Amino acid sequence: MPDRIRLLLVDDQILSRGVLRSGLERERDLEIVAELARTEDVVGAAKRHRANIALVDADGPGYDSINVTTELRTSMPECRVVMLTTYGRPGHLRRGLEAGAKGIALKTSPVPQLADAVRRVHLGLRVVDANLAAETLTYTETPLDRGETDTLRAAREGGSVATMAQKLDVSERLVRNRLWSAIGKTGARTRADAITIAERNGWLFD
């Protein structure tokens, strides 16, 4: 039997890792060699366990999955990255591809489908789940300017206009103007809606 494909799981949710592990370990040509809940030592773990593929949670906080992908691409390019998601975040997933991810798949995919994606990426192919491909690959750049983006980030953390103005070191009038502008550009009706739309499209990431 040929050498099995060695997999590294990177996901901060223990339940999610367990589901993936129990499913993929049924595939005779796949082997889970390590699991990580944190991203700090992903390159070291990949090297120690000679991982071929890193399955990286794309839904974690901030830019962790992007950082992991970049680190592996530059420090251990022989370990290819497949980003896993439970919902589409087009901007974030597109940045993952640009950072060097070789695949994007749904965590909820049937095991045979996910295993097939792993095998194809291991062969050097790029694989993007059909349900995510259109929105991810046709993602357009943010319509928000820098000030509007910073203001929505501040609004996401809560607080009054005065609090946001103090944090951003601008006037309260400018904060209100930026919020109304962001609401208009995103097609939202409220500040909360604008934040939700911007987050879903990956426009609030650095």
Side-chain angles (χ1 to χ4, degrees):
M1 181 177 176
D3 290 341
R4 290 189 288 180
I5 301 172
R6 302 171 65 81
L7 305 180
L8 171 65
L9 300 185
V10 185
D11 191 327
D12 64 346
Q13 298 294 321
I14 188 170
L15 179 60
S16 178
R17 294 199 314 273
V19 170
L20 286 170
R21 181 180 62 249
S22 62
L24 292 173
E25 283 184 336
R26 298 173 190 165
E27 302 293 316
R28 295 184 62 188
D29 60 334
L30 305 183
E31 179 183 5
I32 309 297
V33 295
E35 300 178 33
L36 290 179
R38 302 173 65 86
T39 60
E40 284 82 352
D41 190 37
V42 64
V43 173
K47 289 181 177 179
R48 283 194 302 275
H49 298 281
R50 297 179 291 109
N52 304 122
I53 301 288
L55 296 172
V56 178
D57 175 31
D59 300 332
Y63 251 65
D64 280 356
S65 59
I66 305 296
N67 291 334
V68 166
T69 300
T70 300
E71 289 172 6
L72 283 171
R73 177 177 56 89
T74 56
S75 301
M76 193 182 175
E78 63 270 28
C79 181
R80 299 183 172 99
V81 172
V82 175
M83 296 177 71
L84 301 178
T85 183
T86 52
Y87 55 90
R89 288 193 295 171
H92 190 67
L93 296 176
R94 184 180 179 96
R95 288 187 180 95
L97 292 174
E98 291 171 348
K102 298 302 181 183
I104 296 178
L106 287 167
K107 288 184 184 179
T108 53
S109 298
V111 171
Q113 183 177 326
L114 181 55
D116 183 61
V118 167
R119 295 182 187 106
R120 291 164 65 194
V121 168
H122 184 57
L123 290 172
L125 303 175
R126 173 173 282 189
V127 179
V128 179
D129 185 280
N131 294 312
L132 298 171
E135 59 179 340
T136 298
L137 298 179
T138 60
Y139 166 77
T140 56
E141 292 301 323
T142 176
L144 305 172
D145 65 27
R146 187 69 187 181
E148 293 157 355
T149 301
D150 289 344
T151 302
L152 280 188
R153 287 188 187 127
R156 180 175 55 184
E157 297 173 6
S160 65
V161 168
T163 300
M164 287 186 279
Q166 183 176 16
K167 179 177 180 180
L168 296 169
D169 196 24
V170 297
S171 69
E172 293 181 29
R173 179 178 179 181
L174 182 56
V175 168
R176 292 191 182 92
N177 288 342
R178 287 176 175 175
L179 287 173
W180 280 114
S181 180
I183 289 169
K185 287 182 178 180
T186 57
R189 291 185 297 178
T190 66
R191 178 198 307 181
D193 287 343
I195 293 169
T196 299
I197 292 168
E199 284 185 325
R200 187 170 63 234
N201 284 284
W203 295 336
L204 298 187
F205 292 106
D206 292 328

